[in-house]
Amino acid sequence: MTPKILIIGACGQIGSELTLALRSLYGNEQVIASDIRAGNEELMQSGSFEILDATDKTAIASCVRKHKITDVYLMAAMLSATAEKYPDKAWSLNMNSLFHVLDLAKDKEIQKIFWPSSIAVFGPTTPKQNTPQRTIMEPSTVYGISKLAGERWCEYYYKNYGVDVRSIRYPGLISWKTSPGGGTTDYAIEIYHKALQQGSYECFLNKDTRLPMMYMEDAIRATIAIMQAAEDTIRVRSSYNLAAISFDPEEITETIREHIPDFSISYAPDFRQKIADTWPHSIDDTNSREDWGWQPQYDLKTITADMLSNLESLV
Ligand code: SER
């Protein structure tokens, strides 16, 4: 059966690309985009759009009934850097929206949920290299705490109410179509914009801050793959580790210099350094590879080439 999909947070960095990918896969009429504000032209014109507040349970429920939704992708969230500034708002958005959607599935109003988690669920006491699926998890950011709590609730709803919820711990995501919103890994996008605009970049993380990262194409493929996998292959019902590459600002700079030899970088770490210091350097994603066949395609060189040529074509 073809799913009827609602994407909540469809205008964000991931949601905007996910919406288009799902529309081309299942047909425009099968995918309803929603957000608290309108998105870009391509998104708005390729299918139905609803203004929807992710914290408004009644509004989500009536949207689900109106469109006979089967699957919900809950992409609305406040990311790590912004969440440190607005802890209450972050907790309320990240948790309430999840409960609303989990409860709709518990009440059999929808059949399947995708909910993104993050490498932010790990903390300063977590082993940093090849961080395993199951390990010490003591996140010290508001965002990380909300994602870890969310993971526990997803597993709880699966075990106790049979809710088919699937989740990925995304690494930092690099993309050019829609700007990211308030993350610690956003430097790895800003750097390409500044390299093209002014040939230099002041980085808010130190030069040796190594973090797990991924290109948006890979992240979208992973999201669709986990949602299409047979139900019994999804054995992790909290959230799956997912990896592609790891690098630090110095390494990304080197790949940019292969295209823009005079590109220069300086370092002025701010409060986001403290967040990045608590996260893993690299991730062991064996479970994703074994359970639903995950395999990344983009390395740092191919990401840099693709980012620069796409951003260049926009100007
Ligand atoms: N990219 C996110 C952030 O930096 C991590 O999930 O907040």
Side-chain angles (χ1 to χ4, degrees):
M1 199 193 87
T2 311
K4 187 81 191 272
I5 293 170
L6 172 65
I7 302 178
I8 301 175
C11 300
Q13 188 199 4
I14 308 172
S16 57
E17 300 210 28
L18 184 61
T19 302
L20 298 179
L22 289 169
R23 280 181 176 162
S24 75
L25 186 63
Y26 295 118
N28 288 352
E29 64 296 338
Q30 294 302 114
V31 182
I32 313 299
S34 76
D35 209 305
I36 44 167
R37 63 183 75 86
N40 64 43
E41 217 180 294
E42 202 182 2
L43 184 100
M44 300 302 288
Q45 288 184 353
S46 56
S48 297
F49 179 85
E50 299 272 357
I51 293 285
L52 195 61
D53 174 354
T55 62
D56 186 341
K57 188 175 187 173
T58 315
I60 298 173
S62 62
C63 185
V64 159
R65 281 175 210 136
K66 176 178 162 193
H67 293 283
K68 300 189 170 57
I69 298 297
T70 60
D71 298 7
V72 172
Y73 293 65
L74 174 55
M75 311 311 288
M78 197 182 287
L79 294 188
S80 61
T82 315
E84 290 307 295
K85 292 184 184 157
Y86 310 102
D88 303 1
K89 269 194 195 159
W91 180 258
S92 141
L93 169 63
N94 295 358
M95 298 310 297
N96 289 334
S97 58
L98 176 59
F99 278 121
H100 298 339
V101 174
L102 286 174
D103 282 335
L104 281 172
K106 180 186 166 196
D107 296 342
K108 310 277 183 243
E109 301 239 26
I110 53 172
Q111 292 165 15
K112 213 193 267 188
I113 299 168
F114 178 80
W115 177 77
S117 186
S118 159
I119 52 165
V121 292
F122 301 114
T125 51
T126 303
K128 284 197 182 295
Q129 311 298 343
N130 272 327
T131 302
Q133 176 68 40
R134 294 184 175 85
T135 184
I136 301 167
M137 297 171 89
E138 298 179 324
S140 53
T141 63
V142 175
Y143 178 62
I145 295 168
S146 75
K147 287 295 180 187
L148 181 55
E151 286 191 7
R152 303 319 308 152
W153 280 111
C154 286
E155 194 184 272
Y156 187 91
Y157 271 67
Y158 171 74
K159 285 191 171 156
N160 291 283
Y161 312 124
V163 167
D164 186 0
V165 52
R166 304 169 184 211
S167 178
I168 284 168
R169 292 172 182 153
Y170 288 127
L173 296 182
I174 301 172
S175 67
W176 56 273
K177 282 192 183 162
T178 307
S179 305
T184 302
T185 54
D186 295 3
Y187 92 86
I189 297 171
E190 279 178 19
I191 194 168
Y192 293 113
H193 288 265
K194 297 290 180 192
L196 288 168
Q197 287 162 11
Q198 56 197 47
S200 64
Y201 177 57
E202 186 179 86
C203 186
F204 59 75
L205 297 182
N206 270 324
K207 62 179 176 184
D208 55 355
T209 310
R210 195 171 185 76
L211 289 169
M213 299 275 189
M214 179 178 287
Y215 205 37
M216 186 60 82
E217 265 78 351
D218 273 340
I220 298 294
R221 257 190 332 105
T223 308
I224 291 173
I226 194 175
M227 286 299 273
Q228 286 187 331
E231 195 170 343
D232 59 355
T233 62
I234 306 301
R235 290 182 300 173
V236 175
R237 290 293 180 160
S238 49
S239 188
Y240 276 94
N241 276 9
L242 191 76
I245 51 170
S246 288
F247 58 81
D248 61 29
E250 242 182 355
E251 287 166 284
I252 191 172
T253 298
E254 283 313 309
T255 65
I256 292 173
R257 283 193 183 132
E258 287 169 20
H259 303 262
I260 307 169
D262 294 338
F263 174 62
S264 68
I265 184 161
S266 56
Y267 297 95
D270 65 13
F271 73 101
R272 287 168 281 192
Q273 184 66 46
K274 225 174 89 188
I275 300 175
D277 286 341
T278 70
W279 289 352
H281 294 166
S282 58
I283 298 287
D284 177 350
D285 64 356
T286 309
N287 290 79
S288 288
R289 289 170 190 254
E290 286 180 359
D291 290 1
W292 46 277
W294 167 243
Q295 190 73 54
Q297 285 177 356
Y298 284 81
D299 63 16
L300 181 53
K301 271 179 192 283
T302 48
I303 292 173
T304 294
D306 208 59
M307 281 295 284
L308 291 175
S309 77
N310 279 306
L311 289 175
E312 234 169 355
S313 71
L314 288 184
V315 256

